[in-house]
Amino acid sequence: MLMKLLIIFVGGGLGSCLRYLVSLGVQRFAGDGFPLGTLAVNTIGCFAIGVAAHAMRGDVEVRSDAHWFLVIGLLGGFTTFSTFANETLHLGRDGAIAHALLNVLLSNALGLLAAWCGLMLAGRVFSQPA
């Protein structure tokens, strides 16, 4: 278990650094009008997890530590949006269309609501007295 966590930890750290560098590079090129860096990271991550998910299933034998490092660690650190997309696609592929749509709706609605609540709470807790 400790080795599994270490493998995920290393992959996640690399993925997080890669996310920062890719997002920063794209955003510097694109300017500040739209969060294109985040969009690029999410799109690249979704593509990469699609490739990895296909490569690591079926007849292709891949050691589980490679899955932990690449999918859970590296891509999880790069963007959890790729995991969301992959899980939603699997729900749809397995015939659970209602669950796939519910996952999209709840993930977006609850994520936005939670971010707003966090902003409101932090504004009250950390506000400077006038």
Side-chain angles (χ1 to χ4, degrees), residues 2 6 11 32 36 52 54 56 85 87 89 113 122 130:
L2 184 58
L6 182 61
D32 290 333
L36 198 57
H54 181 78
M56 293 184 184
E87 289 173 346
L89 287 174
L113 178 62

Side-chain angles (χ1 to χ4, degrees), residues 1-90:
M1 177 64 150
L2 184 58
M3 184 56 85
K4 178 180 179 179
L5 291 175
L6 182 61
I7 291 168
I8 293 168
F9 174 78
V10 171
L14 291 172
S16 294
C17 290
L18 187 58
R19 174 184 66 231
Y20 172 75
L21 293 173
V22 170
S23 182
L24 181 68
V26 170
Q27 207 59 56
R28 280 189 179 170
F29 177 76
D32 290 333
F34 185 81
L36 198 57
T38 301
L39 180 63
V41 163
N42 287 339
T43 304
I44 292 166
C46 289
F47 176 80
I49 205 167
V51 170
H54 181 78
M56 293 184 184
R57 69 173 189 164
D59 297 335
V60 179
E61 282 201 25
V62 177
R63 293 184 46 186
S64 58
D65 53 350
H67 178 264
W68 298 332
F69 175 80
L70 179 62
V71 175
I72 298 170
L74 187 75
L75 292 176
F78 189 65
T79 172
T80 56
F81 190 80
S82 61
T83 301
F84 158 75
N86 189 47
E87 289 173 346
T88 304
L89 287 174
H90 281 288

